[in-house]
C-alpha cells in the first residue's frame, strides 16, 4: 500500500487517540502537505521537533493498528464486498448489487 494512503487510513481510524497538538501537526504535515519549517514556524517549535513528532505519531498509529487491526479488517471487508458486487453484476442480481453498493458507500 502506498505510504500516504496507509498514513491516511491509520489517521482516519486512530487519529482521535492522538493529542490535539499531535493531531494538528500530523494533519498539517501529512494531510495538508505543509513543510516541516512552515509548521515549526506557525507553532513556535523547531523543525526537528516537528519531524520527531511526526515520527512518534506514525509509530503510535502503527502500534494501534498492530494491536487492533481495524484498518486491515476494513480493507478485507471492503475487498469482499467488492467481490460480491462484481458477482452480483455478473449474474444480473440487481438487488444484491444495490445492497453491496450501499455497503461500499458506507465503508
Amino acid at each position: 500500500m502506498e505510504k500516504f494512503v496507509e498514513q491516511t487510513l491509520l489517521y482516519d481510524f486512530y487519529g482521535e487517540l492522538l493529542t490535539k497538538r499531535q493531531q494538528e501537526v500530523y494533519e498539517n504535515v501529512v494531510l495538508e502537505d505543509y513543510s516541516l519549517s512552515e509548521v515549526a514556524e506557525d507553532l513556535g517549535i523547531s523543525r526537528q521537533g516537528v519531524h520527531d513528532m511526526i515520527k512518534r505519531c506514525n509509530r503510535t498509529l502503527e502500534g494501534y493498528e498492530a494491536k487492533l487491526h481495524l484498518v486491515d479488517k476494513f480493507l478485507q471487508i471492503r475487498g469482499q464486498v467488492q467481490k460480491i458486487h462484481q458477482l452480483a453484476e455478473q449474474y444480473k442480481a440487481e438487488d444484491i448489487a444495490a445492497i453491496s453498493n450501499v455497503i461500499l458507500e458506507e465503508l
Side-chain angles (χ1 to χ4, degrees):
M1 185 173 3
E2 183 183 326
K3 183 68 174 171
F4 177 74
V5 173
E6 180 181 348
Q7 287 177 308
T8 302
L9 282 172
L10 288 172
Y11 187 77
D12 286 346
F13 277 85
Y14 306 113
E16 290 295 318
L17 300 173
L18 299 174
T19 67
K20 293 297 179 195
R21 179 82 160 190
Q22 288 173 324
Q23 289 176 27
E24 180 182 11
V25 170
Y26 197 85
E27 287 175 7
N28 285 336
V29 173
V30 176
L31 305 179
E32 301 294 330
D33 201 29
Y34 291 167
S35 72
L36 299 178
S37 299
E38 290 173 316
V39 175
E41 185 177 321
D42 287 346
L43 298 177
I45 59 177
S46 70
R47 184 184 176 287
Q48 184 63 43
V50 173
H51 179 265
D52 291 345
M53 187 178 294
I54 295 300
K55 287 182 76 168
R56 216 170 324 140
C57 288
N58 282 329
R59 280 195 308 272
T60 301
L61 296 172
E62 290 166 0
Y64 289 138
E65 177 60 15
K67 292 175 183 168
L68 300 173
H69 307 287
L70 296 178
V71 174
D72 187 44
K73 290 174 187 174
F74 165 77
L75 293 174
Q76 287 178 4
I77 291 169
R78 186 175 68 179
Q80 291 169 342
V81 172
Q82 286 173 334
K83 287 179 187 176
I84 290 170
H85 183 73
Q86 291 169 350
L87 289 170
E89 285 183 340
Q90 182 180 354
Y91 291 105
K92 307 292 187 227
E94 289 83 15
D95 291 341
I96 296 172
I99 291 169
S100 64
N101 267 340
V102 170
I103 293 170
L104 285 171
E105 288 175 11
E106 290 180 8
L107 289 174

